[in-house]
Amino acid sequence: MSQLVLVAGDVIFREGDPGTCAYMVEFGEVEISTDGGTRLLSKLGPGDLFGEVAILDGGVRTATAVATGDTLLTTVAGEDLANRLANSDPVVVHLMKTVIRRQIRQSRGDVDTGLSASLTDRALLELRREREIREALERREFEAFFQPIVGLEDRVLRGYEALVRWRRSDGTLVSPADFLPVAERNNRIREIDLQILHQACRAAVDCLRRSPRAAASDLFVTVNFAPLHFRDHAIVDELQRALTATGLPARRLKVELTETALLESSDATISVINGIRALGVRVCLDDFGTGYSSLGYLHRFPIDTLKIDRSFVLAMMNGERGRKLLVAVLDMARALGFDTVVEGIEDEPVAVVLAKMGCALGQGYLFGRPMERSRMLASHRS
Ligand code: C2E
Ligand code: CA
Ligand code: CA
Ligand code: CA
């Protein structure tokens, strides 16, 4: 997405032009007209989107758009929209096209449909977020934070999970819940995950250089990979590239995937996971127990570690049944040869009980919150 600065009278597109992108008005005013400019359809202001129909249908512009004063536009490239549409539910795509066509007819005064304002508002918000994410990627504003993973018995540090934060130019930190869903929908997640991967490998190497103790241990770093990476074998080359560029030994890197990535359980997914393991990088199943996996089908996937979700910890604290459930999960995981990490440990008594149950590793606020790279490195000063 890029921005376009216009003055009064500038033509954005003419009726009959091929439609290659849509626009959002950031500032100023745009007039949409037909019939050679004689029939005014609408005046658009900040927050309005236009020019999207031609790119949805791959057709030509059915109207002319002209700026009436100093105007700032954000362009939305057609291929990006096409990309998003290709990844969307066909029903949603149909609905979207219908809504947009109806909106057009309405703006021409053909029919009155009561189009939900909140629907368009949400769409515009999403487009703005997308542009911000793209800019943030260019400015390298995504930053890896590191949360310790410790041995539950001896409380010794075993590794770190890298967790993305968006450090905006005004210094505020945005947590992943506020931008990952958008980034996943428009595929930007790939670049985010790769930037975090490189940062995580580099930080781990720095940590090993700084601390002989860390170097002598099996210290590892884990990164989160969105489900869509597991459909594309190119991610294996990206991992190799990150290891080569940073010099991190493969055995010190783990990749976390969620059950969603396994849902399709296609041969392609298995081949990507095998490719990752062939590099010597280990694979963890994250958020275990929140999705659809059963230990029964897990053996089909070449996975090393199960990360047991915090909800199991909460269930355990809730009573005897929850405790038994966790014991059963840990026992089965062990029987199937998985390493286990329990996430979201906040209290000492919970850590003690989990250690007794035989869970080897733990992660949670009790042992440390995600911290920025400099703080993580400082904790390794020898
Ligand atoms: P996750 O992978 O399950 O990460 C664990 C989340 O639990 C983190 O939230 C972490 O800060 C939080 N947490 C850790 N200890 C505790 C605790 O004791 N109590 C509680 N209540 N929470 C705890 P965060 O950092 O906000 O990340 C949220 C999710 O965003 C992650 O869940 C992961 O699914 C996703 N994510 C984070 N970084 C990345 C990334 O670089 N790439 C991708 N694709 N996803 C990421
Ligand atoms: Ca994770
Ligand atoms: Ca998790
Ligand atoms: Ca989680």
Side-chain angles (χ1 to χ4, degrees), residues 161 224 256 286:
E161 176 173 8
N224 293 282
E256 298 191 4
D286 199 1

Side-chain angles (χ1 to χ4, degrees), residues 147 161-165 175-177 180 184 189 192-193 196 223-226 229 256 258 286-287 307 309-310 343-346 363-366 368 370:
Q147 185 178 32
E161 176 173 8
L163 293 158
V164 67
R165 299 289 180 269
S175 54
L180 284 188
E184 284 202 35
I189 189 70
I192 295 177
D193 283 352
I196 296 301
V223 295
N224 293 282
F225 268 12
H229 305 320
E256 298 191 4
T258 58
D286 199 1
D287 296 348
K307 288 193 89 172
D309 191 72
R310 176 173 156 73
E343 300 186 291
I345 303 175
E346 295 181 354
Q363 181 179 349
Y365 296 161
L366 175 66

